[in-house]
Amino acid sequence: MNKNIFLKDNEESLNLCGQLDENLHLMENAFKVAIIARGNKLTIKGEVRNIQKAEKVVEEILEVYRSGHILTRQEIKYIIDQIKMGMKDKVSTVFSEVIYTTLKGENIKAKTLQQQKYLRAIKQYDMVVAIGPAGTGKTYLAVASALAALKAKEISRIVLTRPLVEAGEKLGYLPGDLQEKVNPYLYPLYDAFFLMLGYERFQRLREEEIVEVVPLAYMRGRTLNDAFIILDEAQNTTADQMKMFLTRLGFESRMVITGDITQIDLEKKDFSGLVQMQYVLKKIKEIEFISFSSKDVIRHKLVSRIIEAYSFWEKKNNFHKFSDKRGQQAKK
């Protein structure tokens, strides 16, 4: 069977096909079809069901392009993968919602459907828990959402924190004053702000205490009102630390908790506060849990494959025997 698709102009055709027709090749390999582009006419040849999937990809790409956004190769591949897996909803809506625009004019938006779900949850719920592997944008998108809320005057300050697991007793042996000692553990949080605000703007907001970056241990005894609070690397909190942090939530505040339960650095991995809270708080409807997978990794393609390989090996070798034990302890 053949299916003809007619495009508006040559520019639209060039953007759809990609450099050296690389986008067409991606679709051909994914759906086992042949795609011929001649002028403003696109012809897809193959089996009916495969043509329908390829046609849906073309429609999605064109819809995004006509809305003013040029898709990257990675974004096009994501659309192809989703449709190949049978996704019936519009995938292109992922790339249409801008969360925040950086100092350099870069529009920050979701790159996967799960990221879109995450960003929408942050707007809707006062507390969101995001769990998944590195590279899925958990912290980066939380920071973007916080800056967007600050810009819209929905909150008056941003507070970021993380546990200093590696520090412990060794902290006293590091050179410098206390701030210099803890800075190395907080740099991952700084990075997102540097990219979005620039160094000078970030430093000015810190000096004005509009943005506060503190170790988790310093959160005890505080009540945070009118704030956007982000807890990063939450898998390294103890159960007591997590309970302490959760109860810092004040009036007109939001809280986002991010972590990866496959990378727990606690000496007693059985007692991760992030793992426990999934069981303790799962019935509270006002708290939204978002789970990411290797499919949501927005880094070099090898990162996703590495995560999948480790996950497969760990399951095969029963590497995380303590997972069930932690769940049982939490339920008790």
Side-chain angles (χ1 to χ4, degrees):
M1 180 181 172
N2 293 353
K3 175 68 179 182
N4 293 323
I5 300 174
F6 295 93
L7 310 173
K8 290 183 178 180
D9 51 43
N10 289 335
E11 184 178 350
E12 188 169 89
S13 177
L14 288 171
N15 278 286
L16 173 66
C17 297
Q19 189 174 12
L20 301 176
D21 291 340
E22 66 174 353
N23 297 340
L24 301 186
H25 297 324
L26 285 173
M27 287 184 271
E28 288 177 326
N29 293 332
F31 303 115
K32 309 302 179 186
V33 296
I35 305 178
I36 301 169
R38 290 179 179 171
N40 298 343
K41 178 182 174 183
L42 202 69
T43 302
I44 308 175
K45 299 181 178 182
E47 295 183 8
V48 175
R49 62 180 180 179
N50 293 340
I51 288 177
Q52 290 173 340
K53 290 180 179 179
E55 183 182 11
K56 183 168 173 56
V57 172
V58 171
E59 291 172 353
E60 294 269 10
I61 293 173
L62 289 177
E63 184 169 339
V64 176
Y65 172 71
R66 289 167 183 171
S67 71
H69 177 66
I70 306 292
L71 290 168
T72 65
R73 186 176 186 276
Q74 185 181 42
E75 290 169 340
I76 289 174
K77 191 174 186 307
Y78 178 75
I79 292 175
I80 291 172
D81 289 343
Q82 292 299 305
I83 292 174
K84 189 176 180 180
M85 289 189 296
M87 177 63 67
K88 295 181 180 180
D89 297 332
K90 279 188 174 294
V91 183
S92 56
T93 59
V94 171
F95 312 110
S96 62
E97 300 175 21
V98 176
I99 304 303
Y100 186 76
T101 302
T102 69
L103 182 67
K104 295 183 178 180
E106 177 190 353
N107 289 329
I108 298 175
K109 58 183 73 176
K111 294 184 179 294
T112 72
L113 288 167
Q114 199 65 359
Q115 284 190 352
Q116 183 186 57
K117 182 180 178 182
Y118 176 46
L119 289 168
R120 289 177 175 178
I122 292 174
K123 289 184 177 181
Q124 182 179 353
Y125 293 86
D126 288 339
M127 186 176 293
V128 176
V129 184
I131 300 174
T136 52
K138 302 183 299 296
T139 304
Y140 187 77
L141 293 176
V143 169
S145 297
L147 288 172
L150 182 68
K151 185 177 181 180
K153 297 183 179 179
E154 296 170 2
I155 46 98
S156 62
R157 58 177 171 157
I158 301 171
V159 180
L160 298 100
T161 185
R162 66 184 300 181
L164 306 186
V165 172
E166 302 87 347
E169 295 178 356
K170 299 177 184 177
L171 190 62
Y173 295 101
L174 295 175
D177 59 23
L178 184 59
Q179 188 61 49
E180 291 172 328
K181 291 175 191 287
V182 301
N183 267 342
Y185 302 97
L186 300 175
Y187 278 139
L189 292 174
Y190 297 161
D191 289 342
F193 279 98
F194 291 160
L195 287 169
M196 295 180 206
L197 295 174
Y199 178 80
E200 291 182 0
R201 173 67 173 157
F202 174 58
Q203 291 298 335
R204 188 160 61 252
L205 289 177
R206 287 197 68 194
E207 290 170 3
E208 295 170 358
E209 297 186 347
I210 294 174
V211 173
E212 186 179 0
V213 186
V214 294
L216 181 60
Y218 290 14
M219 298 289 284
R220 188 173 296 279
R222 301 181 65 181
T223 300
L224 300 172
N225 297 316
D226 196 25
F228 195 116
I229 312 146
I230 302 173
L231 170 60
D232 191 36
E233 299 290 339
Q235 76 275 6
N236 289 329
T237 61
T238 64
D240 288 340
Q241 284 177 325
M242 180 60 78
K243 182 179 177 182
M244 177 274 291
F245 173 76
L246 294 174
T247 54
R248 301 308 94 198
L249 186 66
F251 295 110
E252 304 299 324
S253 287
R254 303 184 213 170
M255 192 173 273
V256 177
I257 298 153
T258 70
D260 179 1
I261 58 175
T262 68
Q263 297 193 46
I264 298 172
D265 297 319
L266 296 169
E267 289 185 11
K268 294 183 178 180
K269 300 180 185 292
D270 299 11
F271 300 101
S272 167
L274 181 61
V275 173
Q276 186 193 66
M277 77 177 298
Q278 295 176 83
Y279 298 95
V280 176
L281 305 179
K282 65 180 180 180
K283 293 184 179 180
I284 300 179
K285 295 180 180 179
E286 292 82 3
I287 301 175
E288 181 74 350
F289 287 85
I290 303 291
S291 296
F292 290 100
S293 70
S294 59
K295 303 297 182 185
D296 300 297
V297 172
I298 310 299
R299 287 185 182 174
H300 193 287
K301 61 183 180 181
L302 274 178
V303 175
S304 179
R305 296 185 65 182
I306 288 168
I307 291 169
E308 289 174 351
Y310 267 97
S311 179
F312 175 78
W313 185 88
E314 288 166 358
K315 288 179 181 178
K316 182 179 178 181
N317 293 278
N318 198 22
F319 188 66
H320 289 298
K321 294 180 181 179
F322 53 83
S323 295
D324 291 336
K325 180 181 176 183
R326 287 187 305 214
Q328 291 168 4
Q329 289 174 337
K331 289 177 183 178
K332 290 178 182 179

